[in-house]
């Protein structure tokens, strides 16, 4: 599963926290306001019932009502009951449950269907054993509807608000982590080996990011120095070994011309000669790479007929393939021309085909395809041999790396261990691409692309 970037994870974390906090705050405010409104309604209702009772005169065991008394005042409806609970004066809302019992000095909420009311009953004595009840009724349905609408409005706006917070937070996080992106980009360039002299831009602010940048730059300084030492060492060693190896080869060839040597002696000298030539080839390749890395190798870039070059490579390696009884097949589109160094491109094709022959199975097939695709020259070298395990695919381009040394030894695989490393180096020089598809036990497929002339 693909992991989120730090920017996205940080944005999700604090956006989620803000969403929870905002929802909790709104819920608390909503409940508080609702309770505040209910409490205020209760106080107003009790006060209005008391005011209504002040307008009634109680004298000589009876009570007197003003003929102009108003049984509806500011949303409150008043009803007068006798002590038996019978309605004497006033009226109640149409849907109000008439059977609601009287309860002295207690505020209650009454519901019927979707309607809601708040009521308050108060009993007043006006003679021996005589009393009347005054009930105040106020509808709270409207208030509940308003609160419900507020809740719906919040639920509608809430996702948009969280989205806006998330977007703003992402932009802020992206800006805050921009130095990290710069570090990653520059480190990637340095890691690719394109320019080991590049350094990370140091932030102006004296913070942790500047400290991290300085630490990375110090590390890159040491790495560059180490790589330069390695390049110099490789170049020096390769150069110094060329002369003694050339002498060994020359002396072996001279010794083989002597008629006085026995067959066994000649066989031993031939073994020394083969190994010396192998060493000479290894030194030549190392010296070429070292000189190129130090900018001391000049390449002759010119139009190269890749189709003809591929045919010549297959012809040259046909004897080597016959030794292993491997059938060389080709599917080469004629007239494909690339801009490059012919010697290097020849070496690239030879190394790829030799690699497929060396690791191909006996009586197997090695197929070379060359064609034009999307304005580029694409080449494919495919075999049905040993294949490469998935854990080795990203390492086969390293110098002297071999996926399975014991297996290589058993199968007497020839080579210096520089073949694929040099192939990738040559492709990079020509600003191309190369990759491999392989499955252990089923063979390998090397694919390269070069710019067409």
């Amino acid at each position: 599963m693909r992991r989120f970037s730090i920017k996205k994870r940080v944005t999700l974390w604090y956006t989620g926290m803000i969403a929870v906090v905002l929802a909790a705050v709104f819920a608390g405010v909503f409940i508080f306001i609702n309770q505040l409104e209910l409490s205020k309604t209760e106080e107003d209702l009790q006060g209005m019932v008391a005011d209504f009772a002040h307008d009634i005169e109680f004298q000589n065991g009876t009570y007197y009502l003003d003929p102009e008394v108003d049984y509806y005042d500011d949303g409150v409806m008043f009803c007068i009951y006798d002590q038996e609970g019978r309605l004497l004066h006033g009226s109640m809302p149409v849907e109000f449950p008439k059977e609601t019992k009287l309860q002295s000095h207690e505020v209650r909420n009454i519901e019927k269907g979707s309607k809601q009311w708040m009521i308050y009953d108060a009993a007043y004595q006006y003679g021996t054993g005589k009393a009347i009840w005054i009930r105040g009724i106020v509808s709270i349905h409207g208030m509940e509807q308003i609160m419900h609408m507020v809740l719906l409005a919040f639920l509608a706006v809430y996702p948009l608000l969280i989205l806006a917070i998330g977007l703003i937070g992402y932009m802020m996080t992206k800006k805050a982590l921009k130095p990290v992106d710069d570090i990653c980009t520059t480190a990637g360039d340095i890691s690719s080996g394109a320019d080991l002299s590049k350094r990370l831009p140091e932030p102006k602010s004296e913070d942790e990011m500047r400290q991290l940048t300085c630490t990375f730059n110090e590390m890159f300084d040491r790495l560059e120095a180490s790589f330069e030492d390695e390049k110099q060492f490789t170049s020096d060693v390769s150069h110094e070994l060329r002369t003694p190896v050339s002498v060994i080869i020359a002396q072996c060839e001279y010794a083989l011309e002597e008629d006085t040597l026995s067959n066994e002696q000649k066989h031993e000298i031939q073994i020394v000669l083969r190994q010396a030539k192998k060493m000479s080839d290894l030194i030549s390749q190392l010296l070429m790479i070292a000189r190129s890395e130090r900018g001391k190798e000049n390449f002759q870039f010119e139009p190269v007929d890749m189709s003809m070059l591929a045919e010549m490579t297959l012809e040259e390696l046909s004897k080597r393939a016959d030794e292993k009884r491997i059938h060389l097949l080709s599917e080469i589109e004629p007239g494909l021309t690339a801009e490059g160094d012919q010697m290097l491109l020849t070496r690239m094709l030879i190394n790829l085909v030799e690699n497929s022959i060396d690791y191909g199975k006996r009586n197997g097939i090695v197929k070379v395809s060359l064609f034009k695709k999307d304005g580029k020259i694409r080449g494919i070298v495919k075999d049905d041999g040993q294949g490469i395990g998935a854990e080795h695919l990203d390492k086969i381009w390293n110098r002297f790396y071999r996926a399975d040394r014991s297996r290589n030894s058993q199968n007497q695989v020839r080579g210096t261990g520089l073949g694929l490393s040099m192939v990738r180096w040559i492709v990079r020089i020509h600003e191309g691409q190369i990759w491999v598809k392989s499955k252990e036990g089923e063979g390998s497929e090397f694919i390269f692309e070069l710019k067409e002339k």
Side-chain angles (χ1 to χ4, degrees), residues 216-433:
F216 267 103
N217 284 337
E218 291 174 3
M219 180 185 68
F220 291 143
D221 288 338
R222 292 194 296 272
L223 285 175
E224 183 183 13
S226 176
F227 276 115
E228 288 300 321
D229 291 342
E230 180 188 349
K231 292 175 184 178
Q232 184 65 50
F233 175 78
T234 302
S235 177
D236 293 345
V237 169
S238 300
H239 182 76
E240 293 298 326
L241 288 177
R242 292 184 72 181
T243 300
V245 171
S246 297
V247 171
I248 293 173
I249 293 174
Q251 292 299 318
C252 287
E253 290 176 343
Y254 176 76
L256 288 173
E257 294 177 359
E258 292 291 332
D259 296 331
T260 58
L261 295 176
S262 66
N263 291 335
E264 183 178 352
Q265 289 174 325
K266 288 184 177 181
H267 176 70
E268 296 297 332
I269 294 174
Q270 286 173 347
I271 293 176
V272 174
L273 179 61
R274 281 198 302 269
Q275 295 301 320
K277 287 183 176 180
K278 181 179 178 181
M279 186 178 296
S280 177
D281 185 40
L282 171 61
I283 292 170
S284 297
Q285 293 183 51
L286 279 174
L287 192 57
M288 180 186 296
I289 295 175
R291 285 177 175 175
S292 173
E293 288 177 341
R294 297 182 64 83
K296 295 183 178 180
E297 188 77 20
N298 295 320
F299 303 109
Q300 301 296 324
F301 278 70
E302 57 186 358
V304 178
D305 189 334
M306 292 297 297
S307 303
M308 183 179 68
L309 211 61
E311 295 285 2
M312 291 172 58
T313 299
L314 290 175
E315 184 177 351
E316 181 180 342
L317 296 175
S318 59
K319 183 178 179 180
R320 184 165 180 171
D322 291 340
E323 292 176 1
K324 201 170 180 180
R325 297 182 183 178
I326 287 179
H327 305 284
L328 291 180
L329 303 178
S330 64
E331 188 175 335
I332 300 172
E333 183 179 326
L336 298 177
T337 304
E339 184 78 15
D341 186 291
Q342 181 169 334
M343 183 187 70
L344 291 182
L345 292 175
T346 302
R347 170 54 58 187
M348 177 193 74
L349 290 173
I350 289 176
N351 284 3
L352 285 174
V353 177
E354 280 184 344
N355 182 77
S356 293
I357 293 173
D358 289 341
Y359 292 96
K361 66 181 180 181
R362 198 170 186 81
N363 296 316
I365 294 174
V366 171
K367 182 178 180 181
V368 177
S369 303
L370 201 67
F371 52 92
K372 184 167 67 175
K373 183 175 182 180
D374 299 330
K376 296 181 179 180
I377 298 175
R378 173 171 286 193
I380 301 176
V381 180
K382 185 177 182 181
D383 65 72
D384 56 356
Q386 303 175 26
I388 306 168
E391 69 275 15
H392 300 294
L393 286 177
D394 59 337
K395 302 174 183 176
I396 59 172
W397 310 105
N398 298 339
R399 298 178 190 177
F400 305 109
Y401 182 83
R402 292 192 178 184
D404 190 336
R405 298 182 183 274
S406 62
R407 183 177 61 185
N408 294 341
S409 176
Q410 292 170 4
N411 288 284
Q412 297 181 343
V413 173
R414 293 180 287 181
T416 61
L418 279 175
L420 293 180
S421 174
M422 176 165 279
V423 166
R424 185 176 65 169
W425 170 71
I426 294 172
V427 171
R428 284 181 174 177
I429 287 177
H430 290 82
E431 298 180 356
Q433 291 181 313

Side-chain angles (χ1 to χ4, degrees), residues 16-48:
M17 292 177 61
I18 290 177
V20 172
V21 171
L22 190 60
V25 169
F26 175 80
V29 171
F30 182 83
I31 294 172
F32 175 75
I33 292 176
N34 189 48
Q35 292 298 322
L36 188 64
E37 286 293 325
L38 289 175
S39 298
K40 186 176 182 304
T41 304
E42 289 181 9
E43 292 178 3
D44 292 344
L45 181 59
Q46 292 174 354
M48 294 182 75

Side-chain angles (χ1 to χ4, degrees), residues 176-204:
L177 293 178
K178 188 178 183 302
V180 177
D181 291 334
D182 295 338
I183 289 175
C184 293
T185 302
T186 308
D189 293 340
I190 296 173
S191 176
S192 66
D195 187 1
L196 294 178
S197 65
K198 292 185 69 174
R199 293 297 179 267
L200 303 175
E202 296 184 1
K204 296 180 180 179

